Amino acid sequence: MEEIEFTIGHLSRETGCKIPTIRYYENIGLMPKPPRSTGNTRVYEHSHLQRLDFIQHCRELGFNQNAIRELLDLTDRPDQSCAAVTEIAQTHLETVNQRISRLTALKSELKHMITACEGGRIEQCRIIERLADHSHTTSRTQAK
Amino acid sequence: MEEIEFTIGHLSRETGCKIPTIRYYENIGLMPKPPRSTGNTRVYEHSHLQRLDFIQHCRELGFNQNAIRELLDLTDRPDQSCAAVTEIAQTHLETVNQRISRLTALKSELKHMITACEGGRIEQCRIIERLADHSHTTSRTQAK
DNA sequence: TCTAGGGTCTCTAGTTACTAGAGATACAAG
DNA sequence: CTTGTATCTCTAGTAACTAGAGACCCTAGA
């Protein structure tokens, strides 16, 4: 049913990640150096696909390479201490929470605009005023 | 109580955005060219601070300059047609929803790790396996 | 067996989005 | 008038890709 080994082109098509980018991730150590075929081509398997997918999602979500490296390390090194894991995970959890609340505010504002527009009302858009303020970062999210 | 006009240094401290970056945003048109003082320094006011804050949040959330430009245009041009606004807002709303669901999955996984660690259990971390899979995205990912 | 096509390889250089530094100017305090 | 701080413009460097050149490998068809 499934191929258990595949080429870089296949990996690229599956993930939507461009081939040079995959090789770039390998160079900077985000992706492991995969085994090579007799013809020297990279040979990947399912775990590579999962890892690349994870990296891509993280990039889209605005995490930089260091952050991604830390997140990957959480899985790569089960031998590291629980204290270290907790601390790193806690830090990232806070970042993630902040991003969720900002995105939620942005979402409600976009929905508001769509609704207002569909209702045919010409309304001044207040997206910046509502979302840019520092006070929105932690808790407050005003919808509507 | 509040200064109504301030310098680029003040703006930088308020937002945490570096001075050269502010000037860079001005060059590429994300920030407007502010009026100048007699000594040729840039003079900002509250709306600039809000706009810069918004831009920064968007960058952190992984939006690129074009996306930010579109979001800003939603507020800058109240004269544009409702259809255009709806379409742009709708597109970004879908992106935002996708990001929220990914971040939510990441969040629950981080929380799980923290809890497991605090409980002292040595547990294999499955963050990638649980989050990287295609099935976690609501609709199919659009690679850019 | 030759060869055309496609996919891969490495390496280099370009793009986007900043970021840091050099050198000059403005201005308030001592 | 000098010292210090902040600003100015301009250029060059960094991070994270991305595209292109030229060579190698491998399968299929003549």
Side-chain angles (χ1 to χ4, degrees):
Chain A
M1 175 183 164
E2 288 181 3
E3 318 158 57
I4 56 162
E5 294 190 338
F6 41 82
T7 64
I8 197 168
H10 184 87
L11 183 59
S12 172
R13 281 185 298 278
E14 283 291 305
T15 57
C17 187
K18 288 165 185 167
I19 291 173
T21 307
I22 298 172
R23 293 198 274 248
Y24 169 72
Y25 285 152
E26 184 183 322
N27 276 333
I28 62 169
L30 280 187
M31 288 292 286
K33 285 187 190 300
R36 301 290 182 116
S37 71
T38 48
N40 199 35
T41 65
R42 290 166 176 84
V43 179
Y44 293 100
E45 42 156 274
H46 188 63
S47 66
H48 294 106
L49 197 151
Q50 284 186 312
R51 191 182 178 97
L52 182 53
D53 239 343
F54 180 76
I55 292 169
Q56 286 218 105
H57 290 349
C58 286
R59 291 297 297 126
E60 277 170 40
L61 296 171
F63 289 100
N64 65 17
Q65 290 185 354
N66 274 346
I68 296 173
R69 218 177 293 274
E70 278 192 352
L71 287 167
L72 288 170
D73 280 355
L74 292 177
T75 70
D76 286 348
R77 291 195 252 127
D79 55 308
Q80 64 191 334
S81 84
C82 265
V85 171
T86 303
E87 202 198 314
I88 293 164
Q90 191 70 54
T91 304
H92 288 297
L93 180 59
E94 276 155 32
T95 309
V96 167
N97 274 331
Q98 258 193 18
R99 286 180 189 186
I100 288 173
S101 73
R102 279 179 195 155
L103 282 169
T104 306
L106 183 54
K107 170 183 174 169
S108 75
E109 203 51 37
L110 287 170
K111 278 170 86 171
H112 173 76
M113 291 173 64
I114 291 165
T115 316
C117 257
E118 280 171 350
R121 281 174 287 138
I122 308 297
E123 205 171 294
Q124 180 61 43
C125 175
R126 299 264 170 235
I127 193 167
I128 294 178
E129 288 94 310
R130 284 179 188 155
L131 303 181
D133 206 62
H134 288 300
S135 57
H136 288 279
T137 54
T138 43
S139 51
R140 256 179 42 211
T141 42
Q142 33 186 180
K144 176 110 195 291
Chain B
M1 177 179 163
E2 286 182 5
E3 318 157 60
I4 56 163
E5 294 189 338
F6 42 81
T7 65
I8 196 167
H10 184 87
L11 184 60
S12 171
R13 281 186 297 279
E14 282 291 306
T15 58
C17 187
K18 286 165 185 167
I19 291 174
T21 307
I22 297 172
R23 294 199 272 247
Y24 168 72
Y25 285 153
E26 185 183 321
N27 277 334
I28 63 169
L30 280 188
M31 288 292 286
K33 285 186 191 302
R36 301 290 182 114
S37 71
T38 49
N40 199 36
T41 65
R42 290 166 176 83
V43 179
Y44 293 100
E45 40 156 277
H46 188 63
S47 66
H48 293 106
L49 197 152
Q50 284 187 312
R51 191 183 178 99
L52 181 54
D53 239 344
F54 180 76
I55 292 169
Q56 287 218 104
H57 291 349
C58 286
R59 290 297 298 125
E60 274 169 41
L61 296 170
F63 290 98
N64 65 17
Q65 289 185 355
N66 275 346
I68 296 173
R69 217 178 294 274
E70 279 190 351
L71 287 168
L72 288 171
D73 281 354
L74 293 177
T75 69
D76 285 348
R77 293 195 250 126
D79 55 308
Q80 64 189 334
S81 85
C82 264
V85 170
T86 303
E87 202 198 315
I88 293 164
Q90 190 70 55
T91 305
H92 288 297
L93 181 59
E94 276 157 31
T95 309
V96 166
N97 274 330
Q98 260 191 20
R99 287 181 189 184
I100 288 173
S101 72
R102 278 179 197 155
L103 281 170
T104 305
L106 183 54
K107 170 183 173 168
S108 74
E109 203 50 37
L110 287 170
K111 278 171 85 170
H112 173 76
M113 289 172 66
I114 292 166
T115 316
C117 256
E118 281 172 350
R121 282 175 287 139
I122 308 297
E123 203 172 296
Q124 178 62 44
C125 175
R126 298 263 171 237
I127 192 167
I128 293 179
E129 288 94 311
R130 283 178 188 155
L131 303 181
D133 205 62
H134 290 301
S135 58
H136 285 279
T137 60
T138 45
S139 57
R140 191 54 207 120
T141 321
Q142 80 299 4
K144 48 173 183 168

